[in-house]
C-alpha cells in the first residue's frame, strides 16, 4: 500500500516538472558541471572601418584669367603698375626685393621689352641697369636714342615680361610667362609705341609664341598690330661679342624704320 502511494506521488512530481519545462531526466551517475568544457564565445566580426568624409579641395586658381581681369581694369600706366603690384599669384614676388615696372619715356616711339630683372635691376628697381643695361645704352646712343631723352622721337621706353626677379637669375618658366602676359599686353596697349623691340628669347616666347632668336632677329614681325623687331639681348652680346655685327645691322634697320625709309 505504501509503495503504491509513493508511485503516484513520484508520478505527480514528474508531471509537475514536465509542465515547468524539464526535458532531461537525472542520470544514474552525478555530473560535475564545473568540469564541462565551456564553449568559447564566437568572436565578433570586426567593425567596418569608418571612411572619413572627403576633404573639400580648393578650387584651382586660373592665374592668367585673374591677371587678365586685373589688367583690363587699368586705364593708365600708373593704374597698371598698382594692379601688378597687388597681384598675389606670382610666387616670384615673394623672393624679389623690388618691383621693376619700367624706365624711360612712356610716350617714346620705341618700346623695348626684356625678359626679367637681374640682380642689379632688383636692387635698383629699374630694368636694364647692370652691364647689359650699360651696353644697351651704348647701342641706343649709336642710333641717336636715349632712355632719358625728353623728346619722344629720341627716347625709349623699357619694360620686361616679368616685373620680379627669378631666383638666381634663372629663365622664367612657361607658367610665369603666361601669368604675366596679360599685364605685358596691356602695358603695350597703354604705352602705344610706334615700334616694339623684343630683346631675347623670352619676350619672343611671350608675345610671338616662338623661340630661336638667332633665326628671328633682323626680321620685322607684328605684335598687337605694331611693327616689332626681335634682337639679341645685350647679355648675349656680352657673352658672344662676334654677334654684335648682327646687332648693329638690326639697330640700323630700327633707325631706318623710325625715319620711315621704304623697305625698312
Amino acid at each position: 500500500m505504501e509503495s503504491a502511494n509513493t508511485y503516484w506521488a513520484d508520478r505527480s512530481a514528474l508531471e509537475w516538472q514536465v509542465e515547468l519545462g524539464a526535458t532531461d531526466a537525472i542520470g544514474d551517475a552525478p555530473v560535475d558541471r564545473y568540469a564541462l568544457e565551456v564553449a568559447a564565445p564566437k568572436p565578433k566580426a570586426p567593425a567596418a572601418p569608418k571612411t572619413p568624409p572627403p576633404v573639400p579641395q580648393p578650387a584651382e586658381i586660373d592665374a592668367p584669367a585673374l591677371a587678365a581681369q586685373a589688367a583690363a581694369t587699368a586705364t593708365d600706366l600708373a593704374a597698371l603698375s598698382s594692379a601688378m603690384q597687388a597681384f598675389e599669384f606670382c610666387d616670384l614676388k615673394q623672393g624679389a626685393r623690388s618691383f621693376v615696372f619700367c624706365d624711360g619715356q612712356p610716350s617714346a616711339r620705341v618700346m623695348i621689352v626684356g625678359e626679367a630683372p637681374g640682380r642689379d635691376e632688383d636692387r635698383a628697381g629699374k630694368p636694364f641697369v647692370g652691364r647689359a643695361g650699360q651696353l644697351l645704352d651704348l647701342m641706343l646712343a649709336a642710333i641717336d636714342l636715349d632712355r632719358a631723352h625728353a623728346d619722344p622721337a629720341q627716347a625709349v621706353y623699357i619694360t620686361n615680361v616679368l616685373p620680379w626677379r627669378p631666383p638666381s637669375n634663372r629663365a622664367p618658366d612657361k607658367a610665369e610667362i603666361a601669368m604675366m602676359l596679360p599685364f605685358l599686353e596691356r602695358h603695350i596697349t597703354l604705352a602705344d609705341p610706334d615700334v616694339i623691340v623684343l630683346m631675347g628669347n623670352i619676350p619672343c616666347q611671350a608675345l610671338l609664341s616662338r623661340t630661336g632668336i638667332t633665326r628671328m632677329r633682323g626680321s620685322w614681325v607684328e605684335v598687337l598690330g605694331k611693327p616689332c623687331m626681335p634682337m639679341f639681348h645685350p647679355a648675349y652680346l656680352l657673352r658672344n661679342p662676334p654677334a654684335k655685327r648682327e646687332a648693329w645691322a638690326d639697330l640700323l634697320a630700327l633707325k631706318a624704320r623710325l625715319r620711315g625709309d621704304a623697305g625698312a
Side-chain angles (χ1 to χ4, degrees):
M1 186 66 179
E2 183 179 352
S3 60
N5 292 336
T6 301
Y7 168 80
W8 290 109
D10 292 341
R11 181 170 177 170
S12 297
L14 181 59
E15 290 175 349
W16 178 71
Q17 293 184 41
V18 170
E19 290 179 2
L20 293 177
T23 58
D24 296 325
I26 298 175
D28 294 334
V31 178
D32 184 359
R33 299 290 179 182
Y34 293 101
L36 295 178
E37 183 177 355
V38 179
K42 293 183 179 180
K44 294 182 179 179
K50 293 183 178 180
T51 303
V55 179
Q57 298 297 322
E60 186 175 349
I61 295 174
D62 188 345
L66 294 175
Q69 294 175 9
T73 64
T75 56
D76 55 32
L77 293 174
L80 181 65
S81 175
S82 298
M84 293 175 70
Q85 291 184 72
F87 190 70
E88 298 293 340
F89 301 102
C90 184
D91 291 339
L92 296 178
K93 179 179 180 179
Q94 308 306 320
R97 174 182 298 183
S98 301
F99 170 75
V100 181
F101 184 63
C102 69
D103 193 23
Q105 173 64 263
S107 59
R109 295 185 64 195
V110 178
M111 182 174 187
I112 296 175
V113 181
E115 57 180 50
R119 180 187 61 184
D120 295 326
E121 289 77 15
D122 188 38
R123 290 176 175 174
K126 292 183 178 181
F128 285 95
V129 296
R131 291 183 61 219
Q134 295 167 13
L135 177 56
L136 175 62
D137 289 339
L138 293 175
M139 294 166 62
L140 295 173
I143 56 172
D144 301 319
L145 296 178
D146 186 343
R147 72 170 87 190
H149 208 289
D151 183 357
Q154 292 183 262
V156 294
Y157 183 61
I158 306 175
T159 190
N160 284 314
V161 175
L162 301 183
W164 296 290
R165 179 194 179 195
S168 303
N169 288 358
R170 65 162 173 79
D173 61 35
K174 291 182 179 179
E176 292 163 347
I177 293 172
M179 187 184 310
M180 302 310 295
L181 179 58
F183 291 115
L184 176 59
E185 292 176 336
R186 186 62 176 162
H187 203 156
I188 293 171
T189 299
L190 292 172
D192 194 24
D194 292 339
V195 176
I196 301 170
V197 175
L198 302 182
M199 288 287 186
N201 266 320
I202 298 301
C204 292
Q205 180 181 343
L207 291 167
L208 301 176
S209 300
R210 296 165 55 194
T211 57
I213 189 64
T214 55
R215 297 188 304 273
M216 291 186 290
R217 57 137 297 269
S219 299
W220 288 100
V221 293
E222 188 174 288
V223 169
L224 300 177
K226 299 183 178 298
C228 174
M229 169 72 79
M231 295 180 60
F232 287 131
H233 195 285
Y236 175 81
L237 299 177
L238 290 173
R239 299 191 301 269
N240 300 275
K244 290 181 179 179
R245 181 173 60 181
E246 287 84 358
W248 175 240
D250 297 342
L251 289 170
L252 292 178
L254 173 61
K255 182 177 182 179
R257 186 80 182 212
L258 294 172
R259 284 202 313 255
D261 290 0

